Amino acid sequence: MDFEACRRAFLTRDARFDGRVFGAVKTTGIYCRPICPARTPKAENMSFYPSAAAAQAAGYRPCLRCRPEASPDLGAWRGTSNTVSRALALIEAGALDGGDVDGLAGRLGVGERQLRRLFRQHLGAAPITVAQTRRVLLAKQLIQETRLPMAEVALAAGFGSVRRFNETFQDLFGRPPGALRRLSGETPAAAAGVTVRLPYKPPYDWDAMIGFLTARAIPGVESVSAKRYARTLSVDGAIGVVVVRPGEGDFLVAEIRFPKLKALPAVIARIRRVFDLTADPSLIGAHLSQDPRLAPLVAARPGLRAPGAWDGFEMAVRAILGQQITVTAAVNLAAKLAAAYGEPVDDAAAAKLGLTRIFPTPQQLVGADIAALGMPRARGASIEALARTVAADPSIFTPRADLESAIAALSALPGIGAWTAQYIALRELREPDAFPHADIGLLRAMADADGARPSPEALLQTSQRWRPWRAYAAQHLWAADAAATPDIKRTKAHDRRAA
């Protein structure tokens, strides 16, 4: 950490560094965000850390004014280690809630000592410390933004017991958790469930994101309007509903209604993934803008994100359904699939939103005659075979050691080719460098002034200078292609994006 650069960020309250650096004050024992409204301490009393976990590991507690738990979560993009990025995604999904660091390292194809070293190098804290800090900051957010009873906050944040929850907050803040709620004043009552703010690094192109989700919304499972996205969701057997809206600031507002509060961290992780809230558009845009072909595209859509997927199996089924047909036809087939095999949702509030079904699980499709819904028999057989495979190994759609091994594993699945594997890696595994280079939309967007398109091999070679952000380069090229050819008949390869 460059001390003077970090201090200047705090002196000027530079929002560009929010989430990238945290300043700790030796005299108060508190750590803050660069945008903290408190007076900047003397230089000799300050130290700086690359993550909230590093600051807490050094013995500092979160500031009650600038609330570090409300800062953009940029952990996935900090440093240059893809291994750390994948590990953070797994931790956010709960990999260390019931497992250990050795198991996490094994899933990533590295040794435990190497993973700990990478975390120290890039985040300044051990993996278990990062997981514990996320737990504490989520609990603090729930205390200050909801009216949940403290016992339910402890459960929702992943604490093993209320006693441990109370001890942690007493040690960290020198007061019981209830005192933090009294300090925060009255919190607005949610219509139902839990409502939280999920910050992001601006700018954020909500219109592009909601447009993407609208075109692919499955009736009965999803309901989308210009300022709202809602869907049913199943997490560890619990069925619930999420509603996401743009906030009046640099955050989205998520209303989460689930019967099991323990599912809350996993649901929040999925919302972050789908709406790509951990991306740093300034960093990504600056890199891609070095290419003169991409620079005007980035300038036109500086807040463009890469939409994620709610569930790996659902993502793969959508991809298979979308092969060789239009987006609308693929959505209609997905709706038939959900109506025929998905579990009904008995929730009056969900019904008012048009939400009546959960997307089918792999177990529900094993042995099913899916082709009877109106698709080629081979395609129905591919989906059934995929369901059988995923039911036997639910960990298939989790981050791997590297992009290449992930693509190899996905390509081995029934009905999944090279294009679909790259697309699943982009949306479900959140691989920022995934790039389906044979996609006709990408090739069309890269045509020269005479309309000549590059070959897939030539595009793959060109894309090397966009690494490690090729997934975002693809988003900009797809957006440019859609704007240039709004009425063009989609080709077979292009229509696979019906997923």
Side-chain angles (χ1 to χ4, degrees):
M1 304 293 290
D2 185 310
F3 185 91
E4 286 304 320
C6 292
R7 180 161 171 77
R8 282 197 301 272
F10 275 76
L11 286 171
T12 60
R13 292 180 172 80
D14 194 332
R16 293 175 301 171
F17 292 88
D18 192 17
R20 293 188 182 183
V21 61
F22 296 84
V25 186
K26 300 172 186 176
T27 52
T28 63
I30 292 173
Y31 72 90
C32 300
R33 302 159 64 182
I35 61 171
C36 186
R39 185 179 65 181
T40 305
K42 295 179 179 178
E44 58 266 28
N45 292 329
M46 294 194 73
S47 55
F48 299 99
Y49 297 90
S51 68
Q56 287 193 200
Y60 295 95
R61 64 182 184 275
C63 174
L64 296 177
R65 294 189 66 182
C66 65
R67 298 182 57 196
E69 74 275 8
S71 65
D73 183 4
L74 300 179
W77 311 123
R78 190 175 293 111
T80 57
S81 173
N82 286 330
T83 299
V84 172
S85 297
R86 297 182 181 101
L88 286 170
L90 289 171
I91 289 172
E92 188 173 32
L96 292 182
D97 291 345
D100 55 20
V101 177
D102 187 47
L104 175 63
R107 293 172 68 176
L108 295 166
V110 299
E112 180 182 3
R113 291 181 61 185
Q114 182 183 0
L115 184 62
R116 292 181 184 276
R117 179 184 61 79
L118 289 171
F119 265 66
R120 289 287 181 186
Q121 175 185 345
H122 293 282
L123 299 176
I128 195 67
T129 303
V130 172
Q132 291 171 345
T133 301
R134 285 179 178 270
R135 192 175 299 131
V136 168
L137 294 182
L138 174 58
K140 185 170 178 288
Q141 181 178 17
L142 294 176
I143 289 171
Q144 297 192 299
E145 293 186 7
T146 76
R147 290 181 176 178
L148 284 176
M150 291 302 157
E152 294 185 3
V153 170
L155 181 66
F159 284 88
S161 68
V162 176
R163 179 180 177 182
R164 178 59 181 158
F165 168 68
N166 289 330
E167 289 175 349
T168 298
F169 272 77
Q170 189 68 47
D171 292 343
L172 188 59
F173 295 99
R175 67 195 77 183
L180 298 180
R181 174 163 290 172
R182 288 192 291 272
L183 284 173
S184 69
E186 278 297 308
T187 54
V194 175
T195 300
V196 295
R197 294 182 177 187
L198 301 178
Y200 55 77
K201 193 77 172 177
Y204 190 96
D205 194 335
W206 168 265
D207 290 339
M209 178 63 71
I210 206 66
F212 179 93
L213 296 173
T214 298
R216 292 156 180 81
I218 302 173
V221 176
E222 299 169 286
S223 173
V224 190
S225 65
K227 295 296 182 181
R228 187 204 67 207
Y229 174 87
R231 75 161 286 152
T232 57
L233 197 62
S234 176
V235 177
D236 297 330
I239 293 175
V241 173
V242 298
V243 180
V244 182
R245 298 180 176 88
E248 296 181 0
D250 297 332
F251 58 87
L252 301 183
V253 177
E255 180 188 327
I256 303 168
R257 303 200 300 271
F258 263 77
K260 295 182 180 179
L261 282 171
K262 289 184 67 174
L264 188 60
V267 174
I268 291 176
R270 294 193 189 197
I271 296 172
R272 290 185 187 277
R273 179 176 69 195
V274 169
F275 289 89
D276 198 16
L277 300 184
T278 59
D280 184 345
S282 298
L283 175 66
I284 298 169
H287 178 77
L288 297 181
S289 294
Q290 295 177 35
D291 187 315
R293 290 293 300 272
L294 292 183
L297 306 185
V298 174
R301 296 178 175 86
L304 195 63
R305 306 290 172 119
W310 290 101
D311 175 78
F313 176 67
E314 177 184 322
M315 175 75 255
V317 171
R318 284 172 174 254
I320 295 174
L321 288 175
Q323 291 172 358
Q324 301 182 339
I325 59 176
T326 65
V327 173
T328 302
V331 168
N332 290 337
L333 281 177
K336 290 182 180 180
L337 190 71
Y341 299 105
E343 185 175 346
V345 175
D346 185 15
D347 183 318
K352 290 181 179 179
L353 295 172
L355 305 176
T356 58
R357 294 275 174 174
I358 293 289
F359 194 85
T361 65
Q363 292 78 8
Q364 289 168 328
L365 295 185
V366 171
D369 183 12
I370 301 171
L373 297 176
M375 68 185 76
R377 186 153 297 279
R379 190 169 307 163
S382 293
I383 294 175
E384 196 278 335
L386 174 69
R388 193 178 299 276
T389 302
V390 177
D393 182 10
S395 67
I396 285 175
F397 298 108
T398 57
R400 307 263 171 171
D402 51 49
L403 176 60
E404 289 71 25
S405 60
I407 295 301
L410 292 171
S411 298
L413 295 175
I416 304 297
W419 186 98
T420 308
Q422 288 281 352
Y423 194 63
I424 294 173
L426 189 160
R427 292 197 57 199
E428 169 62 19
L429 304 187
R430 306 308 290 145
E431 288 285 352
D433 205 34
F435 190 70
H437 62 280
D439 181 88
I440 190 64
L442 301 181
L443 298 172
R444 195 160 49 212
M446 286 295 289
D448 60 24
D450 295 326
R453 303 172 190 172
S455 67
E457 293 73 21
L459 178 58
L460 182 62
Q461 183 61 37
T462 299
S463 73
Q464 298 305 308
R465 58 177 174 264
W466 304 335
R467 307 188 78 166
W469 308 114
R470 292 188 300 179
Y472 293 88
Q475 294 300 138
H476 284 288
L477 292 172
W478 278 328
D481 176 57
T485 55
D487 299 320
I488 193 167
K489 289 290 185 180
R490 296 175 182 268
T491 64
K492 295 178 181 180
H494 195 204
D495 272 329
R496 294 177 188 175
R497 289 205 308 282

